[in-house]
Amino acid sequence: MTSKSEALASFVESAPPGELITVTADIKAITGDNPSTAEALGPAFQKYNEEQFATVKLPGASEPVIVSSHNSLGGGRYYDVESSSEFEFDHTTQKASAVQSYVLESKHADLVKSLLKSLSTHAAEHFPSSTLGVYPAQDDLGVAIVLVANKYSPNNFWNGRWRSLYVFTPASGSLTGSIKVDVHYYEDGNVRLLADKPVSSSLSADASAPEITRGVAAVERKYQEELNRAFGNLSESAFKGLRRQLPITRQKIEWEKISGYRLGQDIGGGRSR
Amino acid sequence: MTASVDPFDSALDLLRRLNPRDTAANIERLCALAPTLQEDLLESVDVPLATRRCRQTGRDFLCCDYNRDGDSWRSPWSNEFEPPVEDGEGVVPSERVRRMEVRANEAFDVYRELYFEGGVSSVYFWDVDDGFAGCVLLKKSVPTATAAGGMKSSGSWDSIHVFEAADRARTAHYKLTSTVILNLGGQADALGNMDLSGNMVRQVEQDMPITDDDASHVVNVGKMVEDMELKMRNLLQEVYFGKAKDVVGDLRSIAPLSETSRDRATHREMIESMGGR
């Protein structure tokens, strides 16, 4: 049997896009809104927010910024390159406060800034709504590109999230990372699409921001085409193999004459698979 | 604020949101957190069906709360519990209801073969005050196989149809609640991992004629389940392969958005010019 904190952490980790608040309210209604629940939820919220690339608007700002392990300063503080600021993030309320100016110190500072420009143009062309962050990574040997796109439609019972993470290493020209897609549909049911794909691509060493952006665009396009094809393949293979739409005769069963069908006895049904 | 919320409703809402692949494990977690919810959760939340072998007939049957007595399950093929119930006999249906149950199991065995071409079916009936009730269970799994484009795919389908039948003069009133649990997975180098899983629930009530006593019940339940599964299969197809794919397209557009908005503007201009302005 798992402990209470493990159980609550697994609930939070499995919360669908845009539904963390409802999941949390459910948890509190079940366990009671008490200190031991809050204690268990705190670390789970931090893990969720950092892994899901939570977005938050800094006080007075119009565009949201990303919260992730890639721009964490420790102690609940995160930084944003675009607005040259650092801030405190409350993982429970998802609010930012105590904003201070932040000066990026990195030998890749120029690449980070030019990547923000060229990637935001790319993002605007393919994501109706997305938030982007670029940060020095791997002890300043590389840069991390973090992108999250959310679309929530709770009135129509669906929510979705696309996450991209890439690390570019200028010395080798390698671009590696992952794309994750999470879709939840919950009208009279609970249907979930969880897709993830590790990606890697070789660019030239010290590639320019536009070249890296083209690399990202190519990887994403290929993946999305592959994912679209996979829907068709799953429908044609596994789904069709489970249950026919109609019997092979293309007619519904004549239940009044069901004892006349000899199939059942002839093949000793019920024993296979 | 949450003081007035029923913990059971919250548990159901939670299970409707968390990954449906993990429903069985999440029920266990919830029962450990709030033991008072255990009985209601086990009764009202459907999980993929377990299979057991009937020792008397050698045939597989499906297990659910309705054929369970402690840690034993009644086989629809022999009417015996597997493993035998330790104290006493275990609850079995009355003679009349058992006769219908035998007939229904034969009928749905044919149904299973015609629609699923494999898998396992089990039907359980039990007596209630003004008639009888029952459940029709169907399960099929397809093991991992390589599909088009080198993709490895696998899947499982579990249908759980629970109904009540109330006898009236020349008709009977049926209330049917159907759940289908459909789990699909795909894997390939270019795709990575894809899991498309979940469940959908539908209800229907219907009055149907009774012409031949108990045989009519089996015919009526058969028709209702067949219609319901056809509807649900179409619905699942729409949600899994239509809606889910559309949402991905809403998150990210393969075509550049400036092109699509330009196309839309051109389209609008064309329509306006055809309007003669």
Side-chain angles (χ1 to χ4, degrees), chain A residues 14 16 19 26 29 125-126 188-190 192 194 196-197 220 224 237 241-245 252-253 255-256 263 267 269-270, chain B residues 13 15-19 59 111-112 114-115 140 190 193 195 197-199 201-202 223 226-227 229 233-234 252-253 257-258:
Chain A
S14 167
E19 296 175 47
D26 286 338
E125 273 291 39
H126 293 281
D188 294 324
N190 176 5
R192 189 84 172 258
L194 286 166
D196 73 277
K197 159 100 174 89
E220 287 185 352
Q224 194 171 3
S237 60
L242 286 170
R243 188 189 184 282
R244 305 180 62 91
Q245 194 174 23
K252 283 196 182 174
I253 290 174
W255 288 89
E256 289 81 0
L263 286 158
I267 39 186
Chain B
D13 186 70
L15 292 169
R16 194 167 66 113
R17 295 179 188 278
L18 301 182
N19 189 351
R59 297 186 65 175
Y111 174 89
R112 175 197 56 69
L114 288 173
Y115 279 100
K140 178 160 180 207
N193 285 306
D195 187 70
S197 295
N199 55 72
V201 184
R202 281 290 183 274
K223 284 181 179 167
E226 185 179 29
D227 285 347
E229 280 206 345
R233 189 187 184 278
N234 292 340
R252 188 184 187 281
S253 161
L257 291 167
S258 58

Short mmCIF file of all heavy atoms in Angstrom, two decimals, chain A residues 14 16 19 26 29 125-126 188-190 192 194 196-197 220 224 237 241-245 252-253 255-256 263 267 269-270, chain B residues 13 15-19 59 111-112 114-115 140 190 193 195 197-199 201-202 223 226-227 229 233-234 252-253 257-258:
data_model
loop_
_atom_site.label_atom_id
_atom_site.label_comp_id
_atom_site.label_asym_id
_atom_site.label_seq_id
_atom_site.Cartn_x
_atom_site.Cartn_y
_atom_site.Cartn_z
N SER A 14 -0.62 13.06 -12.63
CA SER A 14 -1.48 12.57 -13.70
C SER A 14 -2.59 13.57 -14.07
O SER A 14 -3.44 13.29 -14.90
CB SER A 14 -2.04 11.21 -13.24
OG SER A 14 -3.07 10.76 -14.01
N PRO A 16 -4.67 16.21 -15.90
CA PRO A 16 -4.65 16.61 -17.32
C PRO A 16 -4.36 18.10 -17.47
O PRO A 16 -4.48 18.86 -16.51
CB PRO A 16 -6.08 16.29 -17.79
CG PRO A 16 -6.68 15.44 -16.75
CD PRO A 16 -6.00 15.81 -15.47
N GLU A 19 -6.31 21.19 -15.67
CA GLU A 19 -7.26 20.66 -14.69
C GLU A 19 -6.66 20.48 -13.31
O GLU A 19 -7.25 19.82 -12.45
CB GLU A 19 -7.85 19.33 -15.21
CG GLU A 19 -8.67 19.53 -16.48
CD GLU A 19 -9.16 18.22 -17.09
OE1 GLU A 19 -9.69 17.39 -16.35
OE2 GLU A 19 -9.00 18.04 -18.31
N ASP A 26 -10.68 18.20 -5.73
CA ASP A 26 -11.17 16.83 -5.49
C ASP A 26 -10.37 16.17 -4.38
O ASP A 26 -10.93 15.54 -3.48
CB ASP A 26 -11.06 15.99 -6.78
CG ASP A 26 -12.11 16.37 -7.81
OD1 ASP A 26 -13.14 16.94 -7.43
OD2 ASP A 26 -11.89 16.08 -9.01
N ALA A 29 -11.33 17.50 -1.05
CA ALA A 29 -12.65 17.05 -0.61
C ALA A 29 -12.60 15.61 -0.10
O ALA A 29 -13.39 15.21 0.75
CB ALA A 29 -13.65 17.18 -1.76
N GLU A 125 3.96 31.13 -36.21
CA GLU A 125 3.47 30.56 -37.47
C GLU A 125 2.77 29.22 -37.28
O GLU A 125 2.02 28.78 -38.15
CB GLU A 125 4.64 30.38 -38.44
CG GLU A 125 4.94 31.60 -39.28
CD GLU A 125 3.85 31.90 -40.31
OE1 GLU A 125 2.65 31.75 -40.00
OE2 GLU A 125 4.20 32.30 -41.43
N HIS A 126 3.06 28.52 -36.17
CA HIS A 126 2.51 27.17 -36.03
C HIS A 126 1.67 26.94 -34.78
O HIS A 126 0.89 26.00 -34.74
CB HIS A 126 3.65 26.13 -36.10
CG HIS A 126 4.29 26.08 -37.44
ND1 HIS A 126 3.73 25.42 -38.51
CD2 HIS A 126 5.43 26.65 -37.92
CE1 HIS A 126 4.50 25.56 -39.58
NE2 HIS A 126 5.53 26.32 -39.24
N ASP A 188 -19.02 12.46 -20.81
CA ASP A 188 -19.54 11.10 -20.61
C ASP A 188 -18.46 10.04 -20.70
O ASP A 188 -18.66 8.97 -21.27
CB ASP A 188 -20.64 10.76 -21.62
CG ASP A 188 -21.86 11.63 -21.41
OD1 ASP A 188 -22.17 11.94 -20.25
OD2 ASP A 188 -22.48 12.03 -22.42
N GLY A 189 -17.31 10.36 -20.16
CA GLY A 189 -16.23 9.40 -20.20
C GLY A 189 -14.92 10.05 -19.84
O GLY A 189 -14.90 11.16 -19.31
N ASN A 190 -13.85 9.37 -20.13
CA ASN A 190 -12.51 9.86 -19.80
C ASN A 190 -11.56 9.26 -20.83
O ASN A 190 -11.26 8.07 -20.78
CB ASN A 190 -12.14 9.42 -18.38
CG ASN A 190 -10.73 9.82 -17.99
OD1 ASN A 190 -10.02 10.51 -18.74
ND2 ASN A 190 -10.30 9.38 -16.82
N ARG A 192 -7.87 9.76 -22.93
CA ARG A 192 -6.62 10.48 -22.81
C ARG A 192 -5.66 10.05 -23.91
O ARG A 192 -5.46 8.86 -24.14
CB ARG A 192 -6.00 10.16 -21.44
CG ARG A 192 -4.79 10.99 -21.06
CD ARG A 192 -5.23 12.31 -20.45
NE ARG A 192 -4.11 13.05 -19.90
CZ ARG A 192 -3.81 13.12 -18.60
NH1 ARG A 192 -4.55 12.47 -17.73
NH2 ARG A 192 -2.79 13.84 -18.19
N LEU A 194 -1.75 10.34 -24.70
CA LEU A 194 -0.44 10.71 -24.19
C LEU A 194 0.59 10.23 -25.20
O LEU A 194 0.70 9.03 -25.46
CB LEU A 194 -0.18 10.06 -22.82
CG LEU A 194 -0.95 10.66 -21.64
CD1 LEU A 194 -0.89 9.75 -20.43
CD2 LEU A 194 -0.41 12.05 -21.29
N ASP A 196 4.67 10.77 -26.60
CA ASP A 196 5.95 11.43 -26.43
C ASP A 196 6.99 10.81 -27.34
O ASP A 196 6.92 9.62 -27.69
CB ASP A 196 6.41 11.41 -24.98
CG ASP A 196 6.87 10.05 -24.53
OD1 ASP A 196 6.00 9.24 -24.15
OD2 ASP A 196 8.08 9.79 -24.57
N LYS A 197 7.92 11.63 -27.76
CA LYS A 197 8.91 11.19 -28.75
C LYS A 197 10.24 11.88 -28.43
O LYS A 197 10.31 13.10 -28.37
CB LYS A 197 8.41 11.63 -30.13
CG LYS A 197 9.48 11.72 -31.20
CD LYS A 197 9.47 10.48 -32.07
CE LYS A 197 10.46 10.63 -33.24
NZ LYS A 197 11.80 10.16 -32.92
N GLU A 220 9.70 19.14 -35.65
CA GLU A 220 8.31 19.21 -35.20
C GLU A 220 7.34 18.83 -36.31
O GLU A 220 6.36 18.13 -36.08
CB GLU A 220 7.98 20.62 -34.68
CG GLU A 220 8.63 20.87 -33.33
CD GLU A 220 8.25 22.20 -32.71
OE1 GLU A 220 7.60 23.03 -33.39
OE2 GLU A 220 8.61 22.43 -31.55
N GLN A 224 4.72 15.73 -36.13
CA GLN A 224 3.27 15.91 -36.19
C GLN A 224 2.66 15.12 -37.34
O GLN A 224 1.56 14.56 -37.20
CB GLN A 224 2.92 17.40 -36.32
CG GLN A 224 1.43 17.64 -36.03
CD GLN A 224 1.08 19.11 -35.93
OE1 GLN A 224 1.93 19.97 -36.12
NE2 GLN A 224 -0.18 19.39 -35.62
N SER A 237 -5.69 -0.79 -37.57
CA SER A 237 -5.12 -2.05 -37.08
C SER A 237 -5.79 -2.48 -35.77
O SER A 237 -6.72 -3.28 -35.77
CB SER A 237 -3.61 -1.92 -36.89
OG SER A 237 -3.30 -0.89 -35.96
N GLY A 241 -9.30 -4.60 -35.28
CA GLY A 241 -9.06 -5.98 -34.85
C GLY A 241 -9.82 -6.34 -33.58
O GLY A 241 -9.91 -7.50 -33.23
N LEU A 242 -10.32 -5.33 -32.88
CA LEU A 242 -11.00 -5.62 -31.62
C LEU A 242 -12.46 -5.99 -31.85
O LEU A 242 -12.95 -6.99 -31.36
CB LEU A 242 -10.91 -4.41 -30.68
CG LEU A 242 -9.52 -4.21 -30.06
CD1 LEU A 242 -9.44 -2.87 -29.35
CD2 LEU A 242 -9.19 -5.34 -29.09
N ARG A 243 -13.17 -5.11 -32.57
CA ARG A 243 -14.61 -5.37 -32.76
C ARG A 243 -15.03 -4.90 -34.13
O ARG A 243 -14.73 -3.78 -34.54
CB ARG A 243 -15.43 -4.63 -31.70
CG ARG A 243 -16.90 -5.01 -31.72
CD ARG A 243 -17.71 -4.10 -30.81
NE ARG A 243 -19.11 -4.49 -30.74
CZ ARG A 243 -20.02 -4.23 -31.67
NH1 ARG A 243 -19.68 -3.57 -32.77
NH2 ARG A 243 -21.27 -4.63 -31.50
N ARG A 244 -15.76 -5.75 -34.83
CA ARG A 244 -16.29 -5.38 -36.15
C ARG A 244 -17.42 -4.39 -35.97
O ARG A 244 -18.10 -4.39 -34.95
CB ARG A 244 -16.84 -6.62 -36.87
CG ARG A 244 -15.90 -7.76 -37.05
CD ARG A 244 -16.63 -8.89 -37.78
NE ARG A 244 -17.04 -8.44 -39.09
CZ ARG A 244 -16.30 -8.58 -40.19
NH1 ARG A 244 -15.14 -9.19 -40.12
NH2 ARG A 244 -16.72 -8.12 -41.35
N GLN A 245 -17.66 -3.57 -37.02
CA GLN A 245 -18.82 -2.69 -36.95
C GLN A 245 -20.10 -3.49 -37.14
O GLN A 245 -21.10 -3.23 -36.48
CB GLN A 245 -18.70 -1.61 -38.03
CG GLN A 245 -19.68 -0.49 -37.80
CD GLN A 245 -19.47 0.65 -38.75
OE1 GLN A 245 -18.92 0.47 -39.84
NE2 GLN A 245 -19.91 1.82 -38.37
N LYS A 252 -27.34 -7.03 -38.94
CA LYS A 252 -27.48 -7.20 -37.50
C LYS A 252 -28.00 -8.62 -37.22
O LYS A 252 -28.54 -9.29 -38.10
CB LYS A 252 -28.46 -6.17 -36.96
CG LYS A 252 -27.84 -4.78 -36.84
CD LYS A 252 -28.72 -3.94 -35.95
CE LYS A 252 -28.20 -2.53 -35.82
NZ LYS A 252 -29.16 -1.71 -35.06
N ILE A 253 -27.82 -9.01 -35.98
CA ILE A 253 -28.21 -10.37 -35.60
C ILE A 253 -29.74 -10.51 -35.55
O ILE A 253 -30.44 -9.60 -35.15
CB ILE A 253 -27.60 -10.70 -34.21
CG1 ILE A 253 -26.08 -10.83 -34.36
CG2 ILE A 253 -28.21 -11.95 -33.61
CD1 ILE A 253 -25.34 -11.00 -33.05
N TRP A 255 -32.06 -11.95 -33.46
CA TRP A 255 -32.02 -12.54 -32.12
C TRP A 255 -33.07 -13.63 -31.92
O TRP A 255 -32.87 -14.56 -31.13
CB TRP A 255 -32.17 -11.44 -31.06
CG TRP A 255 -30.91 -10.61 -30.98
CD1 TRP A 255 -30.61 -9.51 -31.70
CD2 TRP A 255 -29.77 -10.87 -30.16
NE1 TRP A 255 -29.35 -9.05 -31.39
CE2 TRP A 255 -28.82 -9.86 -30.44
CE3 TRP A 255 -29.45 -11.84 -29.22
CZ2 TRP A 255 -27.58 -9.80 -29.81
CZ3 TRP A 255 -28.21 -11.79 -28.58
CH2 TRP A 255 -27.29 -10.78 -28.87
N GLU A 256 -34.19 -13.52 -32.64
CA GLU A 256 -35.23 -14.54 -32.51
C GLU A 256 -34.72 -15.90 -33.00
O GLU A 256 -35.21 -16.95 -32.61
CB GLU A 256 -36.49 -14.16 -33.31
CG GLU A 256 -37.28 -13.00 -32.73
CD GLU A 256 -36.70 -11.63 -33.08
OE1 GLU A 256 -35.67 -11.58 -33.78
OE2 GLU A 256 -37.25 -10.60 -32.63
N LEU A 263 -22.22 -20.98 -35.23
CA LEU A 263 -20.84 -20.58 -35.05
C LEU A 263 -20.28 -20.91 -33.68
O LEU A 263 -19.22 -21.49 -33.56
CB LEU A 263 -20.74 -19.05 -35.23
CG LEU A 263 -20.85 -18.55 -36.65
CD1 LEU A 263 -21.28 -17.10 -36.64
CD2 LEU A 263 -19.54 -18.74 -37.36
N ILE A 267 -16.96 -23.51 -33.32
CA ILE A 267 -15.56 -23.16 -33.09
C ILE A 267 -15.22 -23.12 -31.61
O ILE A 267 -14.16 -22.67 -31.23
CB ILE A 267 -15.22 -21.82 -33.75
CG1 ILE A 267 -16.37 -20.87 -33.57
CG2 ILE A 267 -14.86 -21.98 -35.20
CD1 ILE A 267 -16.18 -19.59 -34.31
N GLY A 269 -16.16 -21.35 -29.14
CA GLY A 269 -15.81 -19.98 -28.76
C GLY A 269 -15.59 -19.81 -27.27
O GLY A 269 -16.02 -20.61 -26.46
N GLY A 270 -14.94 -18.73 -26.94
CA GLY A 270 -14.72 -18.43 -25.54
C GLY A 270 -13.37 -18.91 -25.04
O GLY A 270 -12.92 -18.54 -23.98
N ASP B 13 -15.22 12.30 -9.75
CA ASP B 13 -14.71 13.36 -10.62
C ASP B 13 -13.21 13.19 -10.84
O ASP B 13 -12.72 13.34 -11.96
CB ASP B 13 -15.00 14.74 -10.00
CG ASP B 13 -14.62 15.87 -10.95
OD1 ASP B 13 -15.32 16.03 -11.96
OD2 ASP B 13 -13.61 16.56 -10.69
N LEU B 15 -11.49 10.41 -10.77
CA LEU B 15 -11.24 9.27 -11.64
C LEU B 15 -11.60 9.58 -13.10
O LEU B 15 -11.10 8.95 -14.02
CB LEU B 15 -12.01 8.04 -11.16
CG LEU B 15 -11.50 7.47 -9.83
CD1 LEU B 15 -12.46 6.42 -9.28
CD2 LEU B 15 -10.10 6.86 -9.99
N ARG B 16 -12.47 10.57 -13.28
CA ARG B 16 -12.86 10.98 -14.63
C ARG B 16 -11.76 11.86 -15.25
O ARG B 16 -11.76 12.11 -16.45
CB ARG B 16 -14.16 11.78 -14.53
CG ARG B 16 -14.89 12.01 -15.81
CD ARG B 16 -16.29 12.51 -15.52
NE ARG B 16 -16.27 13.82 -14.91
CZ ARG B 16 -16.72 14.93 -15.49
NH1 ARG B 16 -17.22 14.89 -16.70
NH2 ARG B 16 -16.68 16.08 -14.87
N ARG B 17 -10.86 12.35 -14.41
CA ARG B 17 -9.81 13.25 -14.91
C ARG B 17 -8.44 12.58 -15.03
O ARG B 17 -7.71 12.82 -15.98
CB ARG B 17 -9.71 14.48 -14.00
CG ARG B 17 -10.97 15.33 -14.05
CD ARG B 17 -10.90 16.54 -13.15
NE ARG B 17 -12.19 17.21 -13.10
CZ ARG B 17 -12.63 18.08 -14.01
NH1 ARG B 17 -11.87 18.40 -15.03
NH2 ARG B 17 -13.82 18.63 -13.90
N LEU B 18 -8.09 11.74 -14.05
CA LEU B 18 -6.76 11.12 -14.07
C LEU B 18 -6.66 10.13 -15.22
O LEU B 18 -7.67 9.67 -15.76
CB LEU B 18 -6.49 10.43 -12.72
CG LEU B 18 -6.55 11.34 -11.50
CD1 LEU B 18 -6.21 10.55 -10.24
CD2 LEU B 18 -5.62 12.54 -11.64
N ASN B 19 -5.41 9.78 -15.56
CA ASN B 19 -5.17 8.88 -16.68
C ASN B 19 -6.03 7.61 -16.57
O ASN B 19 -5.89 6.84 -15.63
CB ASN B 19 -3.68 8.52 -16.71
CG ASN B 19 -3.32 7.75 -17.96
OD1 ASN B 19 -4.19 7.35 -18.72
ND2 ASN B 19 -2.03 7.54 -18.17
N ARG B 59 -13.77 -23.67 -19.86
CA ARG B 59 -13.95 -22.43 -20.62
C ARG B 59 -13.62 -21.22 -19.75
O ARG B 59 -13.83 -21.23 -18.54
CB ARG B 59 -15.39 -22.32 -21.12
CG ARG B 59 -15.77 -23.43 -22.06
CD ARG B 59 -17.16 -23.20 -22.62
NE ARG B 59 -17.18 -21.99 -23.45
CZ ARG B 59 -18.24 -21.59 -24.14
NH1 ARG B 59 -19.35 -22.28 -24.08
NH2 ARG B 59 -18.20 -20.49 -24.86
N TYR B 111 -23.00 -13.87 -30.45
CA TYR B 111 -22.78 -12.43 -30.68
C TYR B 111 -21.28 -12.12 -30.62
O TYR B 111 -20.73 -11.42 -31.48
CB TYR B 111 -23.53 -11.65 -29.60
CG TYR B 111 -23.29 -10.15 -29.58
CD1 TYR B 111 -24.08 -9.30 -30.35
CD2 TYR B 111 -22.28 -9.60 -28.79
CE1 TYR B 111 -23.87 -7.93 -30.32
CE2 TYR B 111 -22.07 -8.23 -28.75
CZ TYR B 111 -22.87 -7.40 -29.52
OH TYR B 111 -22.66 -6.03 -29.50
N ARG B 112 -20.61 -12.64 -29.60
CA ARG B 112 -19.17 -12.41 -29.42
C ARG B 112 -18.40 -12.87 -30.64
O ARG B 112 -17.54 -12.17 -31.16
CB ARG B 112 -18.68 -13.15 -28.16
CG ARG B 112 -17.18 -13.09 -27.93
CD ARG B 112 -16.72 -14.14 -26.94
NE ARG B 112 -17.10 -15.51 -27.35
CZ ARG B 112 -16.59 -16.16 -28.38
NH1 ARG B 112 -15.64 -15.62 -29.12
NH2 ARG B 112 -17.01 -17.38 -28.70
N LEU B 114 -19.50 -13.32 -33.70
CA LEU B 114 -19.83 -12.57 -34.91
C LEU B 114 -19.19 -11.20 -34.93
O LEU B 114 -18.78 -10.70 -35.97
CB LEU B 114 -21.35 -12.43 -35.04
CG LEU B 114 -22.10 -13.71 -35.41
CD1 LEU B 114 -23.61 -13.47 -35.33
CD2 LEU B 114 -21.71 -14.20 -36.79
N TYR B 115 -19.13 -10.53 -33.78
CA TYR B 115 -18.60 -9.16 -33.74
C TYR B 115 -17.12 -9.09 -33.35
O TYR B 115 -16.40 -8.22 -33.83
CB TYR B 115 -19.42 -8.31 -32.77
CG TYR B 115 -20.70 -7.78 -33.36
CD1 TYR B 115 -21.92 -8.40 -33.10
CD2 TYR B 115 -20.69 -6.66 -34.20
CE1 TYR B 115 -23.10 -7.92 -33.65
CE2 TYR B 115 -21.87 -6.18 -34.75
CZ TYR B 115 -23.07 -6.81 -34.48
OH TYR B 115 -24.23 -6.34 -35.02
N LYS B 140 -12.03 -8.36 -25.32
CA LYS B 140 -11.10 -8.87 -26.33
C LYS B 140 -9.82 -8.06 -26.29
O LYS B 140 -9.86 -6.84 -26.11
CB LYS B 140 -11.71 -8.78 -27.73
CG LYS B 140 -10.71 -9.27 -28.77
CD LYS B 140 -11.30 -9.68 -30.07
CE LYS B 140 -10.18 -10.14 -31.03
NZ LYS B 140 -10.56 -9.94 -32.42
N ALA B 190 9.89 6.48 -35.52
CA ALA B 190 9.58 7.84 -35.94
C ALA B 190 8.45 8.46 -35.11
O ALA B 190 8.29 9.67 -35.06
CB ALA B 190 9.19 7.85 -37.42
N ASN B 193 6.25 6.95 -28.51
CA ASN B 193 5.15 6.22 -27.88
C ASN B 193 3.85 7.00 -27.95
O ASN B 193 3.86 8.22 -27.79
CB ASN B 193 5.47 5.96 -26.41
CG ASN B 193 6.48 4.86 -26.26
OD1 ASN B 193 6.30 3.76 -26.77
ND2 ASN B 193 7.58 5.18 -25.59
N ASP B 195 -0.18 6.59 -26.50
CA ASP B 195 -1.17 5.83 -25.76
C ASP B 195 -2.51 6.55 -25.89
O ASP B 195 -2.60 7.75 -25.63
CB ASP B 195 -0.77 5.72 -24.28
CG ASP B 195 -1.71 4.80 -23.53
OD1 ASP B 195 -1.64 3.60 -23.78
OD2 ASP B 195 -2.51 5.29 -22.71
N SER B 197 -6.18 5.92 -24.64
CA SER B 197 -6.94 5.02 -23.78
C SER B 197 -8.08 5.74 -23.10
O SER B 197 -8.03 6.96 -22.91
CB SER B 197 -6.04 4.43 -22.69
OG SER B 197 -5.06 3.64 -23.28
N GLY B 198 -9.08 4.97 -22.69
CA GLY B 198 -10.13 5.60 -21.93
C GLY B 198 -11.39 4.78 -21.87
O GLY B 198 -11.39 3.58 -22.17
N ASN B 199 -12.47 5.44 -21.46
CA ASN B 199 -13.75 4.76 -21.35
C ASN B 199 -14.86 5.75 -21.64
O ASN B 199 -14.69 6.96 -21.45
CB ASN B 199 -13.92 4.18 -19.94
CG ASN B 199 -13.75 5.23 -18.88
OD1 ASN B 199 -14.61 6.09 -18.69
ND2 ASN B 199 -12.63 5.21 -18.18
N VAL B 201 -19.32 6.12 -21.29
CA VAL B 201 -20.49 5.54 -20.66
C VAL B 201 -21.75 6.09 -21.32
O VAL B 201 -21.82 7.29 -21.63
CB VAL B 201 -20.52 5.89 -19.15
CG1 VAL B 201 -21.68 5.21 -18.45
CG2 VAL B 201 -19.20 5.50 -18.48
N ARG B 202 -22.74 5.25 -21.55
CA ARG B 202 -24.01 5.70 -22.13
C ARG B 202 -25.16 4.97 -21.43
O ARG B 202 -24.99 3.83 -20.99
CB ARG B 202 -24.08 5.40 -23.63
CG ARG B 202 -23.32 6.37 -24.50
CD ARG B 202 -24.00 7.73 -24.52
NE ARG B 202 -23.33 8.66 -25.40
CZ ARG B 202 -22.30 9.42 -25.05
NH1 ARG B 202 -21.80 9.32 -23.83
NH2 ARG B 202 -21.74 10.25 -25.89
N LYS B 223 -30.92 -7.27 -28.45
CA LYS B 223 -31.09 -6.15 -29.39
C LYS B 223 -30.58 -4.84 -28.79
O LYS B 223 -29.93 -4.04 -29.47
CB LYS B 223 -32.57 -5.99 -29.76
CG LYS B 223 -33.05 -7.03 -30.74
CD LYS B 223 -34.51 -6.82 -31.08
CE LYS B 223 -34.97 -7.88 -32.09
NZ LYS B 223 -36.43 -7.92 -32.23
N GLU B 226 -26.77 -4.88 -28.67
CA GLU B 226 -26.21 -4.77 -30.02
C GLU B 226 -26.31 -3.33 -30.54
O GLU B 226 -25.33 -2.79 -31.07
CB GLU B 226 -26.94 -5.72 -30.97
CG GLU B 226 -26.34 -5.75 -32.37
CD GLU B 226 -27.07 -6.73 -33.30
OE1 GLU B 226 -28.28 -6.95 -33.09
OE2 GLU B 226 -26.42 -7.26 -34.22
N ASP B 227 -27.49 -2.69 -30.34
CA ASP B 227 -27.65 -1.29 -30.78
C ASP B 227 -26.70 -0.36 -30.03
O ASP B 227 -26.10 0.54 -30.62
CB ASP B 227 -29.09 -0.82 -30.54
CG ASP B 227 -30.05 -1.42 -31.55
OD1 ASP B 227 -29.57 -1.99 -32.56
OD2 ASP B 227 -31.28 -1.33 -31.34
N GLU B 229 -23.85 -1.08 -28.55
CA GLU B 229 -22.43 -1.26 -28.91
C GLU B 229 -22.13 -0.66 -30.27
O GLU B 229 -21.03 -0.12 -30.48
CB GLU B 229 -22.03 -2.74 -28.88
CG GLU B 229 -21.76 -3.22 -27.46
CD GLU B 229 -20.79 -4.40 -27.39
OE1 GLU B 229 -20.52 -5.04 -28.42
OE2 GLU B 229 -20.31 -4.67 -26.28
N ARG B 233 -19.38 2.13 -30.52
CA ARG B 233 -18.21 1.92 -31.37
C ARG B 233 -18.02 3.14 -32.28
O ARG B 233 -16.91 3.61 -32.48
CB ARG B 233 -18.35 0.65 -32.22
CG ARG B 233 -17.08 0.28 -32.96
CD ARG B 233 -17.33 -0.87 -33.92
NE ARG B 233 -16.12 -1.31 -34.59
CZ ARG B 233 -15.61 -0.72 -35.65
NH1 ARG B 233 -16.20 0.35 -36.17
NH2 ARG B 233 -14.49 -1.18 -36.20
N ASN B 234 -19.13 3.64 -32.84
CA ASN B 234 -19.04 4.83 -33.69
C ASN B 234 -18.57 6.05 -32.91
O ASN B 234 -17.75 6.84 -33.39
CB ASN B 234 -20.39 5.12 -34.35
CG ASN B 234 -20.75 4.06 -35.37
OD1 ASN B 234 -19.89 3.32 -35.85
ND2 ASN B 234 -22.04 3.95 -35.69
N ARG B 252 -1.19 22.75 -32.51
CA ARG B 252 -0.13 23.09 -33.45
C ARG B 252 -0.63 22.86 -34.87
O ARG B 252 -1.22 21.82 -35.16
CB ARG B 252 1.12 22.24 -33.22
CG ARG B 252 2.31 22.70 -34.04
CD ARG B 252 3.52 21.78 -33.87
NE ARG B 252 4.70 22.34 -34.53
CZ ARG B 252 4.91 22.26 -35.84
NH1 ARG B 252 4.05 21.64 -36.63
NH2 ARG B 252 6.00 22.82 -36.37
N SER B 253 -0.39 23.85 -35.72
CA SER B 253 -0.82 23.75 -37.11
C SER B 253 0.38 23.38 -37.97
O SER B 253 1.43 24.01 -37.88
CB SER B 253 -1.40 25.10 -37.55
OG SER B 253 -1.41 25.18 -38.95
N LEU B 257 0.39 29.46 -40.01
CA LEU B 257 -0.88 30.12 -39.69
C LEU B 257 -1.11 31.35 -40.56
O LEU B 257 -2.26 31.68 -40.88
CB LEU B 257 -0.91 30.51 -38.20
CG LEU B 257 -0.99 29.32 -37.24
CD1 LEU B 257 -0.70 29.75 -35.81
CD2 LEU B 257 -2.36 28.66 -37.31
N SER B 258 -0.02 32.02 -40.98
CA SER B 258 -0.21 33.21 -41.83
C SER B 258 -0.82 32.80 -43.17
O SER B 258 -1.63 33.50 -43.74
CB SER B 258 1.11 33.95 -42.03
OG SER B 258 2.06 33.09 -42.62
#
